Amino acid sequence: MSHGPDNTVFYLCGALLLLICLLKVPALLRHRRDLLLGSVVLLLFDGALVFFFAAPDSIAEINRVTGVPNFAAPPAYSALAVFGGASLLLIINWRPAPAERTRRASRVCVLVYSLVVVAINVLFWAGRAPVEQLSLFDGYYASTPFIREMILTYLVAQGVGTMATSVLCWRWSKQVHGSLRAGLRILAPGYLLHVCYDVVKLVAIGGRWAGHRWDFLIDQVAPQTAAPSAAFVVCGFAVPLAGPPLAQSVRSLRQLRRLTPLWEELRDVPTPGAVRTSLPWWSSPAVRLTRRRTSIYDALLALAPHYDPAVRERALRAALDRGDDADTAEATAQAAMVVVARTRRFRAGADPGRAAAPPPRQPRDLIPLSRALSSPVLSALRERSRAAQAESSHRD
């Protein structure tokens, strides 16, 4: 059987959800009583089933293999109804609440949607649907006894579940902040769009009852709401998961950038006691930040024998005379001492020949120390150093 582009998209999305679901199964086996994890696995698995049953090729193949026209309808509609219930179950267990109330609400949700699935299958077999319909089943059988009730059952069950999920997401979003709030604010309209999908189909069915053929609502308008709904729901669940790591990466990258001047000042300082291995290219910004901080500290410790308290005092007075506040002046003084120590280290080798001052070692001091390297006090210090070197070379 050849697959059209629509079928390919359905199968790719279903396979992706199923793969993610399988990756979660080992954790679920280890934590069988974790209702939140169980809700996630159920939603992922049901989402994969929805995409699989939504593909016209799948519907046609199931009908052909079983030899029963429209045999694919009850499992497809059961999966769609369960999607509403699984979404609601996930939010119930995700949202903070007393444990007993969460368990009670979860039991009610599971019971109600289990009865819905039973009703869908019983009503299908009680009715007659002899003409195969791959995409217009709802409209074609909108007035058929029992089949009509089956269609209404799945649409109402799915609509109630997704509407309740949308309302809970919006209410919860008012109580939280950050990436969780952003994710909930995306989920709320996403599930509301899914409600629109159900409403559009109900309008088409109502049109059939009134003698109108509004099948375009089923095969053209309804899919236009389902696609963005799926995108919103996927993004809504992804943002709270990806948000904190992404924010941490951004913070790490920002600190790496701020530490660059200090790192460039100290990167060629020998640190014999430090053992380094190259980081793989996929290392996270947090890992790279840790490595850079460690390397800077090692260089500062290597320069410790060359620190001159007199240099620090002169730079501190100069910074205070410029009007810098105490913290900025202190960072400038420490930076001046580091710059001079580095110069003396490369001039004199390993023997300092003088008493050492304590190095700046607290992590919170590194960024101010790096920023202080651009201070006018340091610029003047470097100019004097270059002038002294030039005069010394001229004498030689």
Side-chain angles (χ1 to χ4, degrees), residues 16-70:
L16 178 61
L17 288 177
L18 185 59
L19 175 61
I20 299 173
C21 175
L22 292 175
L23 294 175
K24 295 284 186 181
V25 168
L28 180 61
L29 294 177
R30 293 193 299 270
H31 307 283
R32 292 182 175 85
R33 295 183 179 275
D34 190 334
L35 294 178
L36 177 58
L37 183 57
S39 302
V40 171
V41 172
L42 174 62
L43 185 61
L44 289 170
F45 181 71
D46 183 71
L49 289 181
V50 168
F51 277 111
F52 175 76
F53 286 124
D57 281 0
S58 295
I59 297 173
E61 186 67 12
I62 292 172
N63 295 339
R64 186 190 65 80
V65 170
T66 60
V68 178
N70 301 305

Side-chain angles (χ1 to χ4, degrees), residues 165-176:
T165 303
S166 178
V167 171
L168 287 177
C169 287
W170 187 259
R171 288 180 178 175
W172 187 14
S173 70
K174 297 178 181 180
Q175 305 170 14
V176 295

Side-chain angles (χ1 to χ4, degrees), residues 261-262 265-266 311-312 314-320 322 324 328-343 368-387:
L262 184 59
E265 183 76 28
L266 300 175
V311 172
R312 175 187 172 279
R314 287 194 300 270
L316 181 62
R317 287 195 301 270
L320 291 174
R322 287 188 65 255
D324 291 344
T328 303
E330 178 60 32
T332 301
Q334 295 277 12
M337 190 169 61
V338 168
V339 169
V340 172
R342 176 186 175 279
T343 302
L369 188 65
S370 183
R371 189 185 302 119
L373 291 173
S374 61
S375 168
V377 175
L378 269 293
S379 299
L381 179 65
R382 295 179 196 275
E383 287 294 331
R384 288 196 299 270
S385 178
R386 283 193 289 268

Side-chain angles (χ1 to χ4, degrees), residues 72-86:
Y77 289 167
S78 296
L80 284 167
V82 169
F83 175 79

Side-chain angles (χ1 to χ4, degrees), residues 169-357:
C169 287
W170 187 259
R171 288 180 178 175
W172 187 14
S173 70
K174 297 178 181 180
Q175 305 170 14
V176 295
H177 302 279
S179 59
L180 177 56
R181 180 173 185 172
L184 293 170
R185 288 291 172 94
I186 296 172
L187 283 172
Y191 278 109
L192 193 59
L193 280 172
H194 212 90
V195 176
C196 295
Y197 170 88
D198 298 319
V199 170
V200 168
K201 284 200 168 187
L202 287 171
V203 170
I205 292 171
R208 279 275 186 164
W209 294 343
H212 305 292
R213 293 182 63 88
W214 294 341
D215 293 343
F216 74 95
L217 293 176
I218 295 175
D219 64 351
Q220 296 180 32
V221 178
Q224 298 304 315
T225 63
S229 170
F232 271 85
V233 170
V234 170
C235 292
F237 283 119
V239 165
L241 297 175
L246 180 60
Q248 176 61 40
S249 295
V250 171
R251 286 193 295 269
S252 297
L253 288 171
R254 187 181 297 119
Q255 292 186 47
L256 279 168
R257 180 176 57 80
R258 291 175 177 174
L259 287 175
T260 297
L262 184 59
W263 166 239
E264 291 178 347
E265 183 76 28
L266 300 175
R267 64 188 307 172
D268 56 350
V269 173
T271 53
V275 178
R276 295 283 182 270
T277 57
S278 60
L279 291 175
W281 62 267
W282 61 81
S283 297
S284 68
V287 171
R288 294 184 181 279
L289 177 62
T290 300
R291 167 63 66 85
R292 178 157 296 185
R293 285 181 175 276
T294 302
S295 299
I296 290 173
Y297 284 138
D298 289 341
L300 292 174
L301 287 173
L303 293 177
H306 303 272
Y307 290 141
D308 187 347
V311 172
R312 175 187 172 279
E313 292 299 325
R314 287 194 300 270
L316 181 62
R317 287 195 301 270
L320 291 174
D321 291 342
R322 287 188 65 255
D324 291 344
D325 60 72
D327 291 338
T328 303
E330 178 60 32
T332 301
Q334 295 277 12
M337 190 169 61
V338 168
V339 169
V340 172
R342 176 186 175 279
T343 302
R344 289 174 176 172
R345 167 66 179 79
F346 285 101
R347 284 181 183 174
D351 183 17
R354 66 178 68 248

